[in-house]
Amino acid sequence: MSMPGRSLVLDRRRFYLAAIFGLNAVIGAVIAIPAAVYLLFPAKTKKGTPWIEVTDLAQLKPNEPEEVVFRRKRVDGWKVVSEKTTAWVVKTSDTEAIALAPQCTHLGCAYHWEAAKKSFVCPCHTSLFTLDGKVVTGPAPRPLDRYETKLNGSKLMLGGIQTPGSGKTA
């Protein structure tokens, strides 16, 4: 003899269990799919540093640093950011120039050129650098970082930042 209410309870219980397991499966998929995409499809890889035209070398005065402002694209994970940055450019001859990154190598402070001292000066910790970026005094542990440079006609092109002595491009 079977009870009529008993099968109804089992059907309701099965329905609720199926609903709970189905909801768990949906939640698991919502979490797992982005995680799988993150793991299986890496972020944009660097394709080398593009060369950027920053100034006309003919317009610069020899051995007088000039701060040049330019825009550069930076890849941050999946996002590409266009940022404004600067370089201190020193024309050493009609066909050569050096371009120094704008951060002090001590703690990354912005430095400036003082014509009276004929030096780059970091105001935060009093590091002094020569015209070509070598350390004169102060707590800076190494010379200023340089951009790779090349000329395209008279136009100065900048590449990646190089750390002196390490051969690494940032």
Side-chain angles (χ1 to χ4, degrees):
M1 187 164 144
S2 70
M3 296 176 147
R6 184 155 171 91
S7 68
L8 183 62
V9 171
L10 287 179
D11 288 340
R12 190 179 311 149
R13 184 175 292 160
R14 282 189 201 133
F15 170 76
Y16 286 135
L17 284 175
I20 289 170
F21 289 135
L23 191 58
N24 282 340
V26 169
I27 291 171
V30 166
I31 293 171
I33 290 171
V37 168
Y38 174 79
L39 293 172
L40 298 176
F41 301 103
K44 294 177 184 175
T45 57
K46 288 188 177 183
K47 297 175 185 168
T49 305
W51 291 91
I52 299 167
E53 181 181 314
V54 294
T55 190
D56 187 351
L57 194 61
Q59 295 180 354
L60 300 178
K61 296 176 186 171
N63 296 319
E64 286 191 31
E66 185 172 325
E67 190 171 22
V68 177
V69 179
F70 60 97
R71 292 199 82 72
R72 161 167 273 166
K73 289 184 181 174
R74 181 176 53 88
V75 178
D76 186 11
W78 286 272
K79 187 167 72 170
V80 177
V81 179
S82 176
E83 61 186 4
K84 187 166 66 168
T85 188
T86 63
W88 283 95
V89 177
V90 181
K91 179 180 177 180
T92 55
S93 73
D94 289 338
T95 58
E96 291 182 352
I98 60 171
L100 302 168
Q103 299 88 12
C104 175
T105 54
H106 177 230
L107 292 176
C109 305
Y111 59 85
H112 63 274
W113 173 253
E114 283 196 16
K117 292 183 179 181
K118 294 194 182 267
S119 299
F120 289 107
V121 178
C122 178
C124 302
H125 304 101
T126 65
S127 290
L128 288 176
F129 302 92
T130 62
L131 189 63
D132 61 350
K134 294 179 182 156
V135 179
V136 176
T137 62
R142 58 185 169 78
L144 296 172
D145 296 334
R146 290 184 177 198
Y147 284 98
E148 292 179 284
T149 58
K150 72 177 181 180
L151 284 179
N152 185 5
S154 68
K155 303 293 183 188
L156 179 65
M157 310 287 287
L158 297 185
I161 295 175
Q162 295 182 322
T163 303
S166 71
K168 291 182 181 176
T169 301

